[in-house]
Amino acid sequence: MKRSAFLLSLFVSISLGSFAQIIPVVTRQNALVFQVNPNKDLQMVYLGEKLANQDEYGQIPGLFNQSGDYTGLYNSAYTSSGTRNLLEPAISVTHWDGNNSLDLQYVSHQVEKISDDISLLKIVLKDRVYPFQVTMYVKSYFAEDVIEQWTEITHQEKKSVTLHKYASANLSLKSSAFYLTQYHGDWAKEMHPEESKLTHGIKTLDSKLGTRANLFQPSFFMLSMGKPASEDEGEVLYGMMEWSGNFKIDMELDPQDNLRLIAGINNYASDYSIVTNQTFKTPAFLYVLSQNGKGEASRKIQAWARNHKLLDGKGNRLTLLNNWEATGFGFDEQKLFSILKDTKKLGVDLFLLDDGWFGNKYPRNSDNAGLGDWQANRAKLPNGVASLVKEAGATGVKFGIWVEPEMVNPASDLYHQHPDWVIKQPNRGEYYFRNQLVLDLSNPKVQDFVFGVIDGLFRENPDLAYIKWDCNAVIYNAYSAHLQNQSHLYVDYVNGLYNVLKRIRDKYPTVPMMLCSGGGGRVDYAALQYFTEFWPSDNTDPLERVFMQWEYSYFFPSMSMSCHVTDWGRQPLKYKVDVAMMGKMGFDIVVDRLSENDLKFCQQAVGNYNQLKDIIWHGDQYRLVDPKSNDFASLMYVDSSKQKAVVFNYLVNNRYDVRSVYPVKMKGLNPDQKYSVQEVNLYPGTQSALDSQKVLSGDFLMRVGYNPRVDGSRQSVILLIEEAK
Ligand code: GLA
């Protein structure tokens, strides 16, 4: 059967007579199954491995002998509140007449086939009394088993309706136990994992920070079913919000011991009113299920990101030299000219000028002043940014620039000219985060201004090749001088940001942009449609980065992860470079202070990276040895033809005589293929401890493994595995 016909047939709803109607969504490995019961309630009855016979999905609900459901709604696919419901709702409203009740019933559904791979199921739900409607959207990506779910909410009531809660998705999951892996952090401490068994009641992952929403906790999580999943075993669901502002994910272990997962924008301080016929669209909740552990789930989500979401996900990236760690705010044109030469000497593609290049009345010589005044500082750059771009061209490198256009320092012209553009309470004192305030992106004039900052830079400098977009402050004193309805601010801010990014991408579709937020304070797949990469953390200590990049890699592909070599950390330069190589490599060091050998090593490393980057950026990633429970980390990337692979190994413990005692079992190779194994990226003057003449089968490398001989004198080791002809 042709794949497209096959796909369509999977969506045909199965009627079980007058009893119940089944609506399955099927992907390569999995099925998500909805059921319409005789009362027209829409329920979610299954998420798991797909069945060979799709007419058997209807048998599933009858096999559970759990305690009763007083409401018939515990497993609602979108739980309304104010009527029968007793648990956490997905939606709650006040109608035009002050009534708070809602009881959504199934009306119809249809399937739109977007491509061979992508289908969109729409299910229309309507209140039984009021002209109030929710359309549930389920977008399924067949090959990667990824689902995106969101809703559109509208009404034809006489006056406005207030939405108090408006989740994107409401899953109902069955398992004997649920183990949640979540992440917490702070500045320079991103992505610390914690795993716990969910108990009855509600576990919430949320953010109320407005901007820089992930600072304390991102929305991404793993949920293992039955027992904690390992890298290659166990059923595990990954989920996250595609939303760059406040989010809320509730996981409620209900009285029947099922898990109700309700994910969406955080409704904290965010009642949203919609007028008659207005539609409120919720952002997507993204999830993927694997029966073969965390590694497979991550490969699915990485592939999905490259194929469908991340800007230029199948394309190229630029290696770069950045000057933030090297110069801070202290530079001038001549200094930058010499760094441009260093960029060329190093062999990377681009020089990225960081913070400190703007502001005149309030020069940006520290983080106290200047944000908002995006004119080149005349003392540092008398000939403007244009002369830097020109000089970069003459030097044979590209030029990129840092901006933080959503923000303002009180010490700026912008703040004084447009006090009404700033988010702050009119009748209270200001409170700062990094000496700055957030501009009110709910205001279209502010959107125009922010767009104008970027557009202006490109119009004046058509050769500008890269933007680093930062966002350092959270929202305090949430108040907009523009909005009538203050409780719209958190939502309208993020939609305003997306308007700006969309306008930028409509005009400049391909220029690479880095998503940064005082480190990793803002990364999600709604934003990554507009960005080619993100900045995981200001913490560039390579030992920390081994752990951090490892955790991020469960959710984001390596090509999206900017990893820079800096002076942070006590490890040898080779270790730093090797760690940066597992992502999108850059440097932020003083090149002219490198010793001859260090410089030579970095130059060779850039050359080596250029040879390896295609495998790292576009290959499948396998985690081999977990640094959290071992003395070293080992992970690999395998290209799609299985002809080439790169294995990175990093010592993470400095106790006496630690080393890789056992061979590391590889993954993802072709068992029937012979491979050569060779150590690469050696420091000048050093010899590999490995026999580079060895040819071994994929079978051997995966069953027995290979010892990279990591130890205190060889703290990081990169292996290139190539098909032996
Ligand atoms: C943030 C970023 C850094 C750097 C500084 C500049 O902290 O995360 O990389 O750009 O701002 O002020």
Side-chain angles (χ1 to χ4, degrees), residues 15-164:
S15 176
L16 305 174
S18 61
F19 193 57
Q21 188 184 3
I22 292 289
I23 309 169
V25 176
V26 178
T27 56
R28 188 199 294 273
Q29 259 175 247
N30 297 325
L32 163 66
V33 182
F34 298 104
Q35 171 179 286
V36 184
N37 75 6
N39 190 43
K40 297 279 182 201
D41 298 318
L42 181 71
Q43 303 171 321
M44 177 176 156
V45 293
Y46 186 69
L47 177 64
E49 270 187 288
K50 77 177 176 197
L51 304 179
N53 301 318
Q54 62 166 343
D55 50 4
E56 288 183 335
Y57 288 118
Q59 304 296 324
I60 295 172
L63 296 175
F64 289 85
N65 189 15
Q66 294 172 294
S67 59
D69 172 347
Y70 295 109
T71 66
L73 289 175
Y74 291 0
N75 65 347
S76 168
Y78 202 67
T79 314
S80 28
S81 73
T83 47
R84 279 172 292 154
N85 174 50
L86 298 172
L87 303 176
E88 184 63 28
I91 181 166
S92 86
V93 306
T94 298
H95 296 285
W96 73 281
D97 60 358
N99 186 289
N100 289 327
S101 68
L102 192 67
D103 189 3
L104 294 170
Q105 65 172 342
Y106 166 88
V107 176
S108 64
H109 74 276
Q110 70 179 75
V111 177
E112 184 190 335
K113 216 163 131 24
I114 295 174
S115 70
D116 266 4
D117 206 39
I118 307 173
S119 291
L120 184 62
L121 166 66
K122 294 182 199 171
I123 307 178
V124 177
L125 307 170
K126 276 197 175 130
D127 186 58
R128 291 171 208 259
V129 173
Y130 288 87
F132 183 96
Q133 178 177 317
V134 174
T135 306
M136 268 180 56
Y137 289 84
V138 182
K139 193 171 186 181
S140 51
Y141 298 80
F142 188 87
E144 299 96 353
D145 289 309
V146 165
I147 308 262
E148 291 181 295
Q149 240 185 276
W150 69 94
T151 56
E152 283 183 3
I153 304 168
T154 190
H155 69 89
Q156 293 76 41
E157 300 191 17
K158 289 189 180 142
K159 291 186 192 152
S160 291
V161 171
T162 303
L163 310 178
H164 305 294

Side-chain angles (χ1 to χ4, degrees), residues 372-586:
D373 299 348
W374 298 103
Q375 299 78 35
N377 176 274
R378 283 187 292 273
K380 291 181 191 172
L381 306 176
N383 305 303
V385 173
S387 115
L388 300 173
V389 180
K390 196 168 152 225
E391 182 72 12
T395 315
V397 295
K398 293 177 194 283
F399 184 86
I401 201 161
W402 178 98
V403 287
E404 194 182 0
E406 297 161 74
M407 303 285 160
V408 63
N409 284 123
S412 69
D413 282 332
L414 184 74
Y415 177 87
H416 291 102
Q417 282 161 10
H418 296 286
D420 57 324
W421 285 9
V422 180
I423 294 178
K424 55 180 183 158
Q425 290 290 345
N427 51 358
R428 293 181 193 276
E430 294 174 2
Y431 194 75
Y432 306 121
F433 197 110
R434 207 192 189 204
N435 313 307
Q436 66 196 56
L437 293 164
V438 181
L439 292 175
D440 178 8
L441 271 175
S442 73
N443 183 342
K445 288 195 184 130
V446 178
Q447 294 173 24
D448 288 346
F449 168 79
V450 174
F451 172 76
V453 171
I454 308 298
D455 189 39
L457 279 166
F458 281 125
R459 277 194 287 123
E460 283 161 32
N461 307 287
D463 290 337
L464 190 63
Y466 186 94
I467 298 276
K468 174 177 176 182
W469 181 303
D470 212 338
C471 162
N472 278 292
V474 301
I475 293 181
Y476 294 124
N477 287 313
Y479 179 90
S480 158
H482 163 74
L483 287 176
Q484 299 263 306
N485 198 332
Q486 290 304 317
S487 62
H488 288 196
L489 177 57
Y490 285 120
V491 172
D492 287 0
Y493 183 94
V494 179
N495 285 325
L497 171 67
Y498 295 155
N499 281 345
V500 173
L501 291 168
K502 186 167 180 318
R503 279 171 73 183
I504 292 171
R505 282 314 182 187
D506 286 347
K507 195 159 175 189
Y508 308 102
T510 55
V511 179
M513 294 211 298
M514 182 208 282
L515 175 62
C516 174
S517 182
R522 180 196 267 173
V523 53
D524 63 83
Y525 279 113
L528 284 178
Q529 313 175 61
Y530 306 105
F531 291 87
T532 47
E533 57 217 73
F534 70 95
W535 184 234
S537 177
D538 281 349
N539 187 340
T540 45
D541 178 322
L543 181 62
E544 297 290 331
R545 279 294 187 117
V546 169
F547 290 84
M548 221 182 261
Q549 291 167 196
W550 178 281
E551 297 301 328
Y552 270 119
S553 80
Y554 283 114
F555 306 96
F556 301 98
S558 61
M559 73 183 310
S560 69
M561 228 186 284
S562 295
C563 304
H564 294 180
V565 177
T566 74
D567 285 343
W568 283 55
R570 290 182 293 254
Q571 293 70 22
L573 181 67
K574 170 169 159 58
Y575 190 100
K576 296 178 179 185
V577 171
D578 287 358
V579 171
M581 274 195 178
M582 73 174 268
K584 203 226 78 173
M585 185 169 72

Side-chain angles (χ1 to χ4, degrees), residues 253-269:
L253 196 57
D254 74 12
Q256 289 184 317
D257 310 324
N258 299 322
L259 193 73
R260 307 177 66 253
L261 194 155
I262 299 176
I265 294 176
N266 198 339
N267 57 340
Y268 159 74

Side-chain angles (χ1 to χ4, degrees), residues 215-236:
L215 179 63
F216 302 146
Q217 176 167 77
S219 76
F220 12 106
F221 65 89
M222 302 171 181
L223 191 65
S224 300
M225 317 287 170
K227 59 176 188 193
S230 64
E231 197 60 31
D232 298 306
E233 276 176 3
E235 189 169 30
V236 61

